[in-house]
Amino acid sequence: MADKPRPFTRSRHDRMIAGVMGGIARRFGWNATLLRIVFVVVSIASAAFPGIIVYLILWLLMPEETD
């Protein structure tokens, strides 16, 4: 039987600011540090990708993980 996918939640343990990137990385099984680096580079390199706005929206929409 397939494992139930983890929900999108902000990480309480793997966080730099609000745990958004840590939660996304945990959900997909990615490296959180690498995801943060890619996010920052894409945000800086592209004027069409307002990274800070996307991060703030995710911060507001993603619930914090429970213990």
Side-chain angles (χ1 to χ4, degrees):
M1 194 161 190
D3 289 333
K4 185 177 178 182
R6 292 181 176 176
F8 277 108
T9 58
R10 291 184 289 127
S11 175
R12 290 180 137 200
H13 306 289
D14 189 13
R15 66 182 353 167
M16 295 293 280
I17 298 173
V20 171
M21 292 296 132
I24 292 171
R26 187 187 66 245
R27 166 68 167 84
F28 292 109
W30 298 339
N31 183 323
T33 304
L34 183 60
L35 180 62
R36 288 181 185 108
I37 292 169
V38 169
F39 185 79
V40 168
V41 168
V42 170
S43 295
I44 291 171
S46 175
F49 186 77
I52 189 73
I53 294 171
V54 171
Y55 192 90
L56 291 172
I57 291 170
L58 288 173
W59 187 352
L60 293 171
L61 295 178
M62 289 175 68
E64 191 166 15
E65 74 179 343
T66 57
D67 288 331

